[in-house]
Amino acid sequence: MELRHLRYFLAVADEGGFTRAAARLHVSQPGISAQIAQLERELGTVLFDRSARAVRLTEAGEVVRRHARQVLAAERGLREAVDELNALVRGSLVVGMIMACTVEPFFAALAAFHRAHPGVALRLVEDDSDRLAARVREGSIDLALIGAAHRAPEDLAAREVVNEPLAVAVPPEHPLAARDAVTLDALLAHPLLCLPHGTGIRASLEAACAEHGLAPAVAMEANAPGAVLHLAARGLGAAVLSASMVEGVPGLRALRLEGTAVRGVLALVTRRAAPSPALAALLARCEEAFGTAGGPPRQRRAPGARVSA
């Protein structure tokens, strides 16, 4: 058994299929299938149920996944310890970001890190905030930019980069368009448009409603804030997003959402373990880009940043 067998195995398990895993690892699909078959022969058991469209782990596969992560984490820790001893920054980092990310300082940090450390391979993963946080916890993502309600998950190390209120966007003909602000009670009398479950904005909306014993009925949802705004512009409902997302959008009127202290938060999260040299260097670039170095979490929007998922 070799480490590459475990890497291929985890890729198939994470991606739910051999084709997607092969694309992720930049290898051929037959090649990755052969490696998994060899691993199954060595272990004497079937690791994947291939009978359905989506490949699923067997009971034995679940056990192997848990131990495979530990083995690869130990191997990576060994390399990082040697790198730190030699003052080197190399290897690879998996970076997660919210879907339809428009946070310019984050991209600037990635670019600055790449210029300073071209030997470190960066892989970007897009997903909703809940799944990104889960993957940071399990160690398959090193750093993620996520949205949250109130605050970032307390079990993760977090650097808050945006903290701003929720707001509403409606077209000029909407019944609420004549107002500058709207309460939750008045808002819930109209069809709502929002991001899906698992995103920070949706969690913020539901938390705000829960404060008042209300349950939001979202008529339509879309993965990208821009899509939510397009739906609102066409009269399909009132869009609930962060304040920065609704400011100055042509064809829409931005309203304050009153009666709630819930705010949308955008944060960089990692596991609480000591970061590798590469991750520490990337975090330093993020702090420079967002202006968060040496101080408390920011309570306002960083330049170019928007709470979007």
Side-chain angles (χ1 to χ4, degrees):
M1 183 190 307
E2 299 183 17
L3 290 176
R4 74 169 182 277
H5 292 135
L6 300 182
R7 293 192 181 95
Y8 288 178
F9 166 80
L10 288 178
V12 175
D14 290 342
E15 298 295 335
F18 289 86
T19 301
R20 290 193 295 273
R24 166 174 152 181
L25 296 173
H26 304 290
V27 298
S28 69
Q29 191 272 335
I32 200 169
S33 296
Q35 294 294 324
I36 296 301
Q38 183 177 344
L39 178 61
E40 289 177 325
R41 285 194 300 272
E42 290 193 25
L43 294 175
T45 188
V46 175
L47 302 178
F48 292 102
D49 179 357
R50 300 164 172 83
S51 60
R53 289 187 62 184
V55 174
R56 299 180 182 277
L57 285 169
T58 62
E59 185 176 354
E62 291 286 358
V63 173
V64 172
R65 176 164 64 174
R66 183 170 64 253
H67 288 281
R69 291 201 192 283
Q70 294 172 355
V71 169
L72 292 179
E75 184 261 350
R76 183 172 180 176
L78 174 62
R79 290 183 180 276
E80 289 170 354
V82 174
D83 286 348
E84 188 170 7
L85 180 65
N86 294 327
L88 297 175
V89 177
R90 63 184 183 188
S92 63
L93 290 173
V94 181
V95 179
M97 62 184 181
I98 48 181
M99 291 182 291
C101 181
T102 59
V103 184
E104 294 180 7
F106 187 56
F107 299 139
L110 294 177
F113 174 83
H114 178 67
R115 287 192 297 270
H117 307 289
V120 179
L122 288 175
R123 186 168 73 85
L124 294 180
V125 176
E126 276 191 307
D127 212 329
D128 70 40
S129 295
D130 283 355
R131 285 194 288 265
L132 289 173
R135 292 189 63 179
V136 170
R137 291 186 186 96
E138 71 179 19
S140 61
I141 289 180
D142 299 289
L143 168 71
L145 179 69
I146 68 168
H150 288 300
R151 63 186 66 85
E154 294 183 353
D155 61 327
L156 296 175
R159 290 162 172 79
E160 186 179 304
V161 296
V162 178
N163 184 316
E164 63 183 30
L166 297 179
V168 178
V170 295
E173 64 275 12
H174 194 279
L176 298 175
R179 307 186 184 194
D180 292 324
V182 61
T183 63
L184 280 168
D185 283 329
L187 177 63
L188 295 187
H190 302 274
L192 300 186
L193 309 171
C194 196
L195 298 172
H197 290 287
T199 61
I201 292 297
R202 183 65 169 267
S204 298
L205 171 62
E206 293 177 349
C209 290
E211 283 184 335
H212 300 274
L214 303 172
V218 175
M220 292 186 182
E221 57 186 37
N223 288 326
V228 174
L229 294 170
H230 280 301
L231 293 172
R234 284 156 178 77
L236 293 171
V240 182
L241 294 167
S242 67
S244 66
M245 290 305 302
V246 303
E247 291 172 0
V249 178
L252 290 173
R253 177 161 172 72
L255 315 178
R256 298 190 311 278
L257 183 59
E258 294 186 333
T260 177
V262 175
R263 298 170 68 87
V265 170
L266 200 62
L268 295 163
V269 297
T270 64
R271 288 193 294 174
R272 290 191 174 276
S276 67
L279 181 55
L282 177 56
L283 286 170
R285 295 294 177 175
C286 288
E287 289 173 346
E288 292 172 7
F290 284 105
T292 59
R298 297 179 72 90
Q299 299 301 312
R300 55 188 173 85
R301 175 158 49 104
R306 292 179 172 184
V307 178
S308 60

